[in-house]
Every structure is written in C-alpha cells, then in structure tokens.
Amino acid sequence: MSENFQTDLLIIGSGPAGYTAGVYASRAMLEPILVQGIQPGGQLTITTDVENWPGDTMVLGPDLMTRMEEHARSIGVNVIQDHIVEVDLKNKPFRAKGDSGNIFTSKALILATGAQAKWLGLPSEDYFKGHGVSACATCDGFFFRGQEVVVVGGGNTAVEEALFLTKFASKVTLIHRRDELRADRILQQRLFENEKIVPLWNHVLVEITGENDPKSVTGLVIRNTQDGSMKTLCCSGVFIAIGHTPSSELFVDNLETREGGYIVTEPGTTRTSIPGVFAAGDLVDSTYRQAVTSAGMGCMAALDAVKFLAEAD
Ligand SMILES: Cc1cc2nc3c(=O)[nH]c(=O)nc-3n(C[C@H](O)[C@H](O)[C@H](O)COP(=O)(O)OP(=O)(O)OC[C@H]3O[C@@H](n4cnc5c(N)ncnc54)[C@H](O)[C@@H]3O)c2cc1C
C-alpha cells in the first residue's frame, strides 16, 4: 500500500553519496528519508574487489555497500525501497513520487542518483563484468599488473584510460571502430608516443572469451569493420571506455545541467540552481567518479542542507 511521507530532508539514491549524506543528516537530527532506487547500493554492487576505500585493504563492493546501508539505518536514516519516477521541484515543499505510488514531500532534497557506465551490450561483456571486464581503469587497473589488456573506445575517456593502464599493464591494445580517434590532440599525441599502447583501427568487439571457474577473461573475438574478417586476441582484461550517463533524466527540465547531462553545482558547494536542492556524487562529477569522492560530496550535501534548513526556519 502506498504511503505519504513528509520529511525535512529527502535523499534520492543509495550509493556512497546517498548513504554518506544520510549518516551526516541523521547525526544533525534531520531524520532524513533515503529512497534507494532500483540499484540499492549503487554501482559498487556490480563490482568485486575494491582496494581504494580508505580503511579497508580490500573489500567486496557489495559488502561495502551493505555496511554503508547498515550504518545509515543504525543511525536513524529511514531507508525506503522505492524508485522515484516524478519530481516537482517548482513548488515548496518539494514533491517526489515513487514507483510504488508513495509520495514524499520535503523542505530540502539531496539528489544522489549517480551514473551508469555505457556498455556495448554483449552477453559475454555482462558475464565477465567484475571478472576481467571493467569500465573503470582507476578502479581496476591495478589488478592487471604485468598483463595484456584491451581498451575499447576512441574518445578522451578511452585514451585517458589507455594511458593510465600503461602504469600497470605490459601492453594496452586500443580497439576503435574507426581509423582515427575523437580524443583531444594532446591526448592523441601522448598515446602515439607511448610504446606500450598499440592502436587497432577499424575493429569492433564481437565477444569476450574466458574461463568459467573461476570466471576470468583470456581473450577476445574482434571483427574488421572494413572487410568483415574476424580474428582473436589474447588479453586478461577489457576496459570498455565509451562514456558514462548521469542518471539526471528526472531533473534536467528543472535544474541547470552541462554537457552530458551532469547537474551543475555552485563551485565548492553542492547547491544546484534551485535553492534547497543539492546534488552529489557521479550525478555531478564527470571527472573523478570514485566511491570516496562521491561519499565526500554526500557529506558536503548534508552539511549544505543542514545550513539551508537552519536558515529557512
Ligand atoms: C564496475 C565498477 C567498478 C568500480 N570500482 C570502483 C572502485 O574500485 N573504487 C571506487 O572508488 N569506485 C569504483 N567505481 C566507481 C563508483 O562505484 C562510483 O563512483 C560511485 O558508486 C558513485 O556513487 P554515487 O553515490 O554517486 O552513485 P551510484 O553508486 O551510481 O548510486 C546511484 C544510486 O541512485 C539510485 N537511483 C538512481 N535513480 C534513482 C531514482 N530515480 N530514484 C531513486 N534512486 C535512484 C540507484 O538505485 C543507486 O542506488 C566503480 C564503478 C563501476 C561501475
């Protein structure tokens, strides 16, 4: 049965940004409500080892997010399983409607709906995600020390990921479906000067191959876009670097956004173009895209919301 919830602060999203915002807001006695969305725990729930969360030498992504949820609940955050399908940011109090029919009204709002990496959509890509297939070199490059990896893409993201991976991998093959890159010239120059990177033009990824027990990548099948011929390639890791999409579709009509659909915040704050609406994490950030930076922004958003509510009273 659907319900009406009223709160000073509604947090939308249950990734590192949302849960951290919840912890800080709860400790400021705001009694926040947090709506989890269809991916409770966010992006880290689809990965395995996380080795850059301070305080944990290694933690499984899903375990880390379960702990964050438990922390938020234990400190009083009202965590609700629902997915927001409509928001009204024009009128006060703000109003959000859940997929279940729940209505949430709040004086302040923290948007922490994150982003999704773009994937090619291959079944084998899905099968090996977190087991040799990644969309984040900063997160997973370290696991491929001394091994051969492949990067798929041709824009700035792909070139940056390929350059970063040369710190660890013995060889980086950059597969691009065209015969030239879209990346900035300076990045292209760095790429061409790097002896560890081998561009493979006019090819697309057809299938990722590997072992089942334990799951691991051993190679690829690729197709030449010019003559249709197929060939195989050995590698231990595949980085899909074709961009990210922020989950901002509910907000783009009302809030200022920038290229790619990321929500714009005032520099040094989490304030959006509407007073009382704050945004944090990968929804805002196209540069760092890390759990720890998202959590940091979640903290900022809660503190900004506390200040806003205190001044509004
Ligand atoms: C495969 C992979 C591996 C990664 N590995 C690492 C790593 O090792 N270290 C690291 O620091 N980072 C890593 N990252 C990046 C990290 O996961 C993200 O930077 C971080 O999760 C972003 O946090 P966030 O809170 O902004 O959003 P997300 O984690 O994206 O969470 C967004 C949340 O919003 C919710 N949501 C979306 N829309 C709605 C809606 N309409 N209503 C309600 N809720 C909604 C979702 O359900 C989800 O809970 C990895 C990412 C991926 C994809």
Side-chain angles (χ1 to χ4, degrees), residues 11 15 44 55 88 99 114 160 162 191 201 218 220 230 235 249 304:
I11 300 166
L44 279 189
D88 176 1
D99 190 40
E160 280 168 0
L191 179 116
W201 307 116
T218 55
L220 307 175
M230 306 280 241
C235 66
E249 58 283 355
D304 286 344

Side-chain angles (χ1 to χ4, degrees), residues 11-20 34-54 59 61 64-65 68 80 82-87 97-99 111-117 119 129-130 133-140 143 244-245 247-251 280-285 288-295 297-298:
I11 300 166
I12 307 179
S14 59
Y19 283 140
T20 307
L34 182 151
V35 181
Q36 287 183 306
I38 45 174
Q39 189 178 41
Q43 292 171 68
L44 279 189
T45 59
I46 59 159
T47 191
T48 50
D49 301 356
V50 176
E51 292 190 352
N52 52 16
W53 180 255
V59 58
L64 177 60
M65 296 320 299
M68 283 197 203
I80 309 272
D82 203 347
H83 188 77
I84 301 300
V85 290
E86 261 177 53
V87 286
K97 186 177 173 199
D99 190 40
L111 310 178
T113 50
Q116 295 290 324
W119 297 96
K129 257 182 214 167
V133 173
S134 171
C136 178
T138 315
C139 315
D140 298 328
F143 300 124
H244 284 79
T245 312
S247 305
S248 60
E249 58 283 355
L250 287 177
F251 320 120
D282 281 13
L283 176 68
V284 173
D285 169 24
Y288 303 105
R289 296 196 303 250
Q290 294 297 295
V292 71
T293 47
S294 297
M297 280 187 262

Side-chain angles (χ1 to χ4, degrees), residues 181 185 187-195 197 199 201:
L181 299 168
R185 288 280 157 205
L187 285 173
Q188 294 197 32
Q189 189 184 334
R190 283 186 206 142
L191 179 116
F192 294 131
E193 283 170 3
N194 195 311
E195 288 176 356
I197 303 178
W201 307 116

